[in-house]
Amino acid sequence: MAAALCKCLRIATSCPLRCLQNVNMITASYAKATGIKVARLNLEVEKDPHKLVNYLCGGNIYKTGEEIQLKPDEEYPDWLWELRIERKAPDLEELEYGSYEYWAKAKKISLREKNAKQKLQAKRQVKRFM
């Protein structure tokens, strides 16, 4: 590899166009496709309803041992049941005024509006000169 690099550098010093056209400088031997196909790992899905209701399936991080058994709802903290589970972020009106999340969202919205205005103005200027 070092010898090939030195050869490319010698060529580059004499004629940079030839070195840029040399494909060997761009790709290394280990980067070429080998034709090896990787098999996908198919995990089995738990279908036992009793186990799905009473255990945390997939929660055990160790190779040996049993799944984690779920506790009654009273043993978990109250804040756990108040967590947001929706994927969509809350609107600005839903956030508490003055909180960090409120101002971060307000800043994001104002930057989007500013960028949209600049993009629109740039398109208008291009059309005027043509």
Side-chain angles (χ1 to χ4, degrees):
M1 177 111 173
L5 182 62
C6 292
K7 180 181 174 185
C8 286
L9 288 175
R10 266 188 266 130
I11 294 171
T13 55
S14 62
C15 180
L17 293 177
R18 260 196 285 157
C19 187
L20 291 175
Q21 292 171 355
N22 188 359
V23 179
N24 293 331
M25 183 177 165
I26 297 170
T27 59
S29 61
Y30 59 83
K32 293 180 183 175
T34 57
I36 298 173
K37 296 194 177 191
V38 178
R40 290 189 139 199
L41 178 65
N42 292 328
L43 299 175
E44 294 183 19
V45 179
E46 185 63 49
K47 297 179 182 177
D48 181 23
H50 175 71
K51 198 169 188 181
L52 288 171
V53 171
N54 296 323
Y55 293 92
L56 178 64
C57 297
N60 186 11
I61 60 170
Y62 302 108
K63 290 182 180 179
T64 59
E66 60 183 36
E67 299 291 339
I68 301 168
Q69 189 169 9
L70 297 176
K71 300 175 185 175
D73 291 348
E74 296 81 28
E75 292 191 31
Y76 292 105
D78 293 333
W79 59 264
L80 182 65
W81 310 114
E82 297 171 4
L83 289 176
R84 288 188 67 252
I85 55 173
E86 297 135 14
R87 291 187 57 100
K88 186 181 174 231
D91 293 331
L92 192 62
E93 295 82 24
E94 295 175 15
L95 296 173
E96 181 184 346
Y97 180 78
S99 66
Y100 174 80
E101 292 83 11
Y102 177 88
W103 290 112
K105 180 92 173 181
K107 181 180 177 182
K108 190 175 185 180
I109 291 171
S110 68
L111 282 174
R112 280 189 183 160
E113 290 174 357
K114 183 181 118 183
N115 290 341
K117 283 182 185 178
Q118 287 179 350
K119 188 176 181 180
L120 187 62
Q121 287 175 354
K123 283 184 181 179
R124 286 181 182 168
Q125 288 176 355
V126 170
K127 288 183 180 179
R128 282 187 207 158
F129 293 116
M130 290 186 164

